[in-house]
Amino acid sequence: MERLTTSQLNISYDDRMIVNNLNIAIPEGKITALVGSNGSGKSTILKTMARIMSPAAGQVLLDGKSIHKQSTKDVAKQLAILPQNPTAPDGLTVTELVSYGRFPYQKGFGSMSKEDRNVVRWAIESTGLTEFAERPVDQLSGGQRQRAWIAMALAQETEILFLDEPTTFLDMAHQLEVLQLLQKLNEENNRTIVMVVHDLNHASRYAHHMIAINKGTVMGEGSPTEVMTPEIFRDVFNIEADIVYDPRSGVPLCLPHALITKYSTTTAATHQREAAVV
């Protein structure tokens, strides 16, 4: 049974409908990747499922209850979200940042308990940041900063973790660093992870479940093998691509070779007519 689902979900900005009648289910204990071109609505869906945005109609259901009708603290004990390109105040240390993750559990004036401090220490250790615990976040590398923010989310001790493009602006080594950490959290702690991913091959390698979105509509959903198809590449990304298989893991990978445009279609038709005349 899936803990997190959407039911006839509509999302709009002002009077413009972005997502219409969305019905999806997030597999529990798995990594789910939302993929699609820029402006497809994937980040909007993530934010609405994480309760940052409110739907125009329909519901996001967590354990059968509307997430937008639950209290902020109750929701924060069940799911955490890492937004795109988060920034910390200058001089804030890793330990101080991670401590913010304990907010849902604090009472009164928000003093940290012994349990809170133990959880913060565990989150820092789990993300490999012990040696940087007292270092200001703004002095870390890109990959280290992302790990610090993930540690803050871990400190919330939630079973569901949302991430909006967690590898944006990172080089290849730091991208792998973050993705492998998420894989570890899923495998060792059974975290349900939902992330927006731009790179199709990263999604295929690290996600168990993929949801391909175009203009707010689900165009494909299932395992990487089910979603990584030439038809979905055309419908969602407007590209022609070959599928190759990773020799290490056997997962399908996308090898794009042409952009589908009105010009290229017209040109191809012209070449066909000329060939027929000859």
Side-chain angles (χ1 to χ4, degrees), residues 77-106:
K77 291 176 182 178
Q78 299 176 82
L79 62 86
I81 181 167
L82 177 60
Q84 192 179 65
N85 305 322
T87 56
D90 290 344
L92 192 75
T93 68
V94 170
T95 297
E96 290 169 337
L97 175 66
V98 177
S99 297
Y100 288 168
R102 298 306 297 165
F103 171 75
Y105 303 93
Q106 294 173 6

Side-chain angles (χ1 to χ4, degrees), residues 190-207:
N190 200 37
R191 287 285 197 285
T192 298
I193 295 174
V194 187
M195 57 182 182
V196 170
V197 185
H198 258 306
D199 190 309
L200 278 172
N201 293 335
H202 281 165
S204 183
R205 281 190 176 109
Y206 291 97

Side-chain angles (χ1 to χ4, degrees), residues 110-123:
S111 57
M112 292 267 287
S113 68
K114 181 179 179 181
E115 180 183 357
D116 290 330
R117 288 191 290 272
N118 288 338
V119 172
V120 168
R121 190 178 305 112
W122 164 81

